[in-house]
Amino acid sequence: MNLNIQMVDTKSQFLKIKEEIYKGFEEVFESSQFINGKQVKEFTEALKSFTRAKHIIPCANGTDAIQVALMALGLEPGDEVIVPTWTYVATAEVIALLKLKPIFIDADYNTFNIDVNKIEEKITSKTKAIVPVHLYGQTCEMEKIMELAKKYNLFVVEDTAQAIGSEYTFSDGAVKQAGTIGNIGTTSFYPSKNLGAYGDGGAIYTNDDDLAVRLKGICHHGELGVKYYHDIVGCNSRLDTLQAVILNAKIKRLKDYETSRNEVADFYDNALKEMDWIETPFRSKNSTHVFHQYTMKIKNGQREALKTYLQEKEIPSMIYYPMPLHFQKAYAMHYNASYDLSISEKLSKEVLSLPIHTEMTESQLHYIVETIKNF
Ligand SMILES: *Cc1c(COP(=O)(O)O)cnc(C)c1O
């Protein structure tokens, strides 16, 4: 059976918006405004209205976005930054790169996000920031995180690379989008992300006017206003105009893309819920899910065997992630054996993500769940 199932099918999605993108590319080539062209400004405005953030600063990728965010906060080497151990490496990498100290916190077994009940015990006089990651498409318990940040005077930088569009509801009924709750939010337009470019891209969100000036300046070699006058040390991080063309075409469709992903997730949930050895993704009551990943827990110790079986049947699946960060060679020195990070260790043995994207067909979905049932 060749159903050409892929984890993410960017090609089929492209074919539906091809004309618009080619036309946009032509305009960029004709104008030769490859850097900071008008399409970048248009995208910045579109992302502003989509997220309801006061300021959007586009940049080169999602890793830079986190790095620039941390640079803007004026932290000192040795300052401690709280981060989940259950995340993609980029989040902790930039912390280490800036000579800050990552303090790893375990995951919540249900949501996969940072366990907010394990943060306070790790806060010291050196703690300066919390970097929650909205993993797989669901917002962390931001109400609790913001309470802790307020109590201990900490900055909050939200890594929203996997959760663009996820909406979080506070207990007073206020609704905010992931990335717009803390001091700064960051996201990635890596091709497989929910809003993916055809190359690298990223963005930084903030509602703070002063931080916006610093963030923008840091992305442009530390220029805070006047060209060729550099007030702080920055870097070079820009979203190029061609990528903005693609993002302009896709951001208009992002809500529809989110709906398609949720339909796939609902289908999997219904089909797999009766299988007692599979735990389908938990739906947090305070957050919508944008399903960057559909991540199950395989409870019978057969995760590897299931993955191999699916592979034989031409169904890809992925393990996000095979090893929590505190076990990685580059980060193990920041891990202290007194830390209890056992949930993340357990997750690394149980998680399996199924194909999920905007172009999945009924026959693909039926084939995937039937194959799993026959395992
Ligand atoms: C993809 C991702 C990043 C990094 O984004 P890039 O654009 O690839 O640099 C950071 N954090 C998380 C959680 C991600 O999934």
Side-chain angles (χ1 to χ4, degrees):
M1 175 114 57
N2 185 7
L3 291 169
N4 189 25
I5 302 173
Q6 297 170 54
M7 284 303 287
V8 187
D9 188 351
T10 45
K11 172 84 185 278
S12 300
Q13 192 191 55
F14 163 68
L15 293 175
K16 294 184 175 166
I17 52 176
K18 185 174 159 172
E19 303 305 323
E20 193 172 332
I21 287 175
Y22 282 0
K23 191 166 163 282
F25 275 6
E26 205 177 329
E27 281 173 26
V28 176
F29 289 123
E30 293 295 336
S31 74
S32 299
Q33 298 287 305
F34 299 112
I35 301 293
N36 287 330
K38 73 174 182 10
Q39 292 82 352
V40 176
K41 286 170 204 91
E42 278 163 24
F43 174 66
T44 304
E45 290 307 314
L47 187 58
K48 219 185 269 180
S49 55
F50 184 86
T51 58
R52 310 184 297 280
K54 189 167 180 199
H55 303 278
I56 294 286
I57 297 99
C59 66
N61 58 66
T63 309
D64 272 13
I66 312 167
Q67 181 180 326
V68 170
L70 292 171
M71 286 169 79
L73 298 177
L75 309 182
E76 303 284 340
D79 283 349
E80 295 178 359
V81 177
I82 285 178
V83 65
T85 189
W86 191 246
T87 176
Y88 183 56
V89 66
T91 326
E93 184 175 53
V94 295
I95 294 171
L97 206 60
L98 295 171
K99 303 270 181 261
L100 305 167
K101 184 169 171 54
I103 302 295
F104 293 119
I105 306 286
D106 210 0
D108 176 273
Y109 189 66
N110 287 326
T111 63
F112 306 105
N113 282 327
I114 190 166
D115 185 340
V116 293
N117 297 315
K118 292 182 179 166
I119 294 176
E120 193 162 15
E121 64 201 56
K122 290 292 188 311
I123 295 175
T124 71
S125 58
K126 287 187 149 182
T127 311
K128 294 292 155 56
I130 308 177
V131 183
V133 181
H134 308 307
L135 210 64
Y136 309 146
Q138 221 166 201
T139 311
C140 297
E141 271 311 322
M142 287 308 293
E143 182 149 352
K144 178 76 197 225
I145 290 171
M146 295 313 289
E147 275 168 26
L148 288 170
K150 193 166 175 210
K151 183 168 169 192
Y152 294 97
N153 201 20
L154 309 175
F155 294 111
V156 175
V157 175
E158 300 170 71
D159 179 351
T160 317
Q162 299 190 5
I164 190 165
S166 174
E167 299 279 354
Y168 182 84
T169 306
F170 288 82
S171 51
D172 67 0
V175 178
K176 287 189 187 175
Q177 194 170 120
T180 67
I181 302 165
N183 304 82
I184 305 177
T186 67
T187 200
S188 163
F189 308 125
Y190 184 80
S192 65
K193 297 284 155 78
N194 286 26
L195 180 57
Y198 297 157
D200 279 308
I204 311 169
Y205 320 161
T206 189
N207 294 321
D208 181 314
D209 298 342
D210 296 332
L211 272 178
V213 172
R214 284 180 68 82
L215 291 163
K216 202 170 171 192
I218 292 167
C219 286
H220 295 275
H221 302 287
E223 264 179 26
L224 291 185
V226 186
K227 204 164 172 59
Y228 301 124
Y229 287 79
H230 309 275
D231 301 314
I232 50 179
V233 175
C235 59
N236 172 22
S237 192
R238 294 184 283 239
L239 178 73
D240 74 67
T241 313
L242 287 171
Q243 297 306 332
V245 167
I246 296 139
L247 295 169
N248 278 329
K250 287 200 184 185
I251 197 169
K252 288 187 261 180
R253 298 167 168 92
L254 190 52
K255 274 286 155 202
D256 293 337
Y257 289 163
E258 184 184 319
T259 305
S260 311
R261 286 175 175 276
N262 269 278
E263 283 165 5
V264 173
D266 290 345
F267 181 90
Y268 283 146
D269 277 359
N270 279 323
L272 301 174
K273 66 170 181 259
E274 76 240 34
M275 319 208 62
D276 58 6
W277 52 279
I278 291 179
E279 203 174 300
T280 56
F282 176 84
R283 310 293 188 98
S284 167
K285 73 176 194 317
N286 299 325
S287 168
T288 63
H289 206 318
V290 298
F291 281 101
H292 175 60
Q293 298 298 344
Y294 185 88
T295 303
M296 322 177 283
K297 285 174 255 183
I298 308 301
K299 311 285 289 179
N300 59 359
Q302 298 288 301
R303 195 242 339 240
E304 303 305 320
L306 174 64
K307 190 175 191 323
T308 306
Y309 176 78
L310 293 174
Q311 192 61 51
E312 283 162 8
K313 306 285 180 191
E314 296 180 16
I315 299 170
S317 63
M318 292 289 279
I319 296 168
Y320 300 116
Y321 298 93
M323 190 188 264
L325 295 184
H326 64 280
F327 282 163
Q328 303 280 353
K329 274 188 198 155
Y331 300 94
M333 74 280 239
H334 300 293
Y335 168 53
N336 170 331
S338 71
Y339 288 18
D340 177 14
L341 301 171
S342 56
I343 299 295
S344 304
E345 292 159 23
K346 189 170 153 75
L347 288 174
S348 68
K349 300 191 171 61
E350 292 184 352
V351 291
L352 191 68
S353 300
L354 291 179
I356 191 162
H357 54 78
T358 59
E359 312 303 318
M360 290 194 80
T361 63
E362 296 247 332
S363 50
Q364 288 176 333
L365 289 170
H366 282 286
Y367 175 69
I368 292 169
V369 300
E370 287 316 312
T371 307
I372 293 173
K373 284 178 183 171
N374 289 334
F375 172 64

